[in-house]
Amino acid sequence: MEGYDKEILLSRDKIQERVRELALEISRDYQGKEPVLIGILNGVIFFFTDLIRNMTIPVKLDFIRAASYGTGTESSGVIRFSKDVEIDIRGQEVIVVEDIVDTGLTLSKIKESLQKKGPSSVKICVLIDKRERRETEVTIDYCGFRIDEGFIVGYGLDFNEQYRHLPDIFVLKEKGAST
Ligand code: IMP
């Protein structure tokens, strides 16, 4: 995309290795159970499928699509579900799977909404925990990588719907910006 350079942050090998570890950790914690994994569309697609196929326990799958009203890259905290969960999660163990947590507003609203449906537990699994702009504390039960700042793309993550297809993760930098 014009006006931006991208610098590699996480290689596909590093991502795959960490996703495998997370899948095994979740499988151990939920041994003998069949949790419902709920992916937050669209950015989660690669992470969600890689995570699930590395798990050693059966799972049920569903998706939520959440749009946040805001300006540019800022999230407003006003969340609208354009697709809500369809499985009946009453009494079920739920794991919400998200690509990245930034301000925390999206995930905290999603968790709040899911809890109203009466699941026996709701845990959160994110590939990337980006702490710099956190506004609401949200407990991350399973985390792939922690970064302090920066806008990242690739492996499902986009900037204006670009870069999602890339198998590695990159930091986007304005051309000419100092590092
Ligand atoms: P939050 O409500 O601020 O935590 O918003 C999280 C959502 O913002 C994620 O699901 C992404 O869609 C988007 N987002 C936040 N940071 C990034 C980033 O660095 N790259 C791509 N998308 C991001």
Side-chain angles (χ1 to χ4, degrees):
M1 189 172 259
E2 269 177 56
Y4 290 92
D5 286 323
K6 56 183 177 37
E7 257 173 39
I8 190 139
L9 180 70
L10 299 165
S11 70
R12 64 197 75 183
D13 290 349
K14 200 165 175 185
I15 297 168
Q16 293 303 325
E17 189 189 330
R18 184 69 189 120
V19 172
R20 258 195 307 276
E21 285 172 3
L22 277 179
L24 295 178
E25 189 185 339
I26 296 172
S27 303
R28 269 197 307 274
D29 291 354
Y30 286 82
Q31 197 61 52
K33 298 175 178 165
E34 190 173 353
V36 181
L37 266 64
I38 300 178
I40 312 302
L41 294 169
N42 290 340
V44 83
I45 47 166
F46 292 175
F47 177 43
F48 198 63
T49 50
D50 286 343
L51 184 74
I52 286 161
R53 62 185 156 190
N54 279 289
M55 288 178 67
T56 58
I57 55 165
V59 295
K60 294 184 193 125
L61 310 183
D62 207 341
F63 293 94
I64 287 176
R65 181 146 195 205
S68 139
Y69 291 106
T71 51
T73 54
E74 301 279 328
S75 163
S76 65
V78 181
I79 308 294
R80 177 178 58 91
F81 295 111
S82 54
K83 187 211 167 302
D84 202 350
V85 66
E86 287 168 55
I87 289 181
D88 180 8
I89 60 167
R90 186 165 300 278
Q92 305 270 339
E93 315 237 28
V94 168
I95 305 172
V96 180
V97 185
E98 170 71 306
D99 49 6
I100 183 165
V101 52
D102 184 13
T103 62
L105 296 170
T106 307
L107 266 180
S108 62
K109 295 281 175 192
I110 287 173
K111 190 168 179 182
E112 196 182 296
S113 148
L114 288 172
Q115 266 162 342
K116 288 187 187 143
K117 298 179 194 284
S120 61
S121 66
V122 181
K123 299 255 168 144
I124 290 180
C125 172
V126 298
L127 180 65
I128 290 162
D129 180 5
K130 184 166 75 171
R131 299 216 51 92
E132 186 198 20
R133 303 199 297 183
R134 189 64 38 86
E135 288 178 31
T136 307
E137 263 330 302
V138 43
T139 304
I140 312 288
D141 303 282
Y142 302 97
C143 172
F145 302 95
R146 286 196 176 80
I147 63 170
D148 289 330
E149 56 182 356
F151 198 82
I152 59 171
V153 294
Y155 195 63
L157 290 157
D158 77 308
F159 176 62
N160 290 342
E161 291 304 323
Q162 304 288 305
Y163 306 107
R164 280 197 204 279
H165 63 290
L166 302 170
D168 310 288
I169 290 180
F170 299 84
V171 184
L172 218 52
K173 302 229 155 114
E174 274 187 64
K175 276 205 165 96
S178 55
T179 49

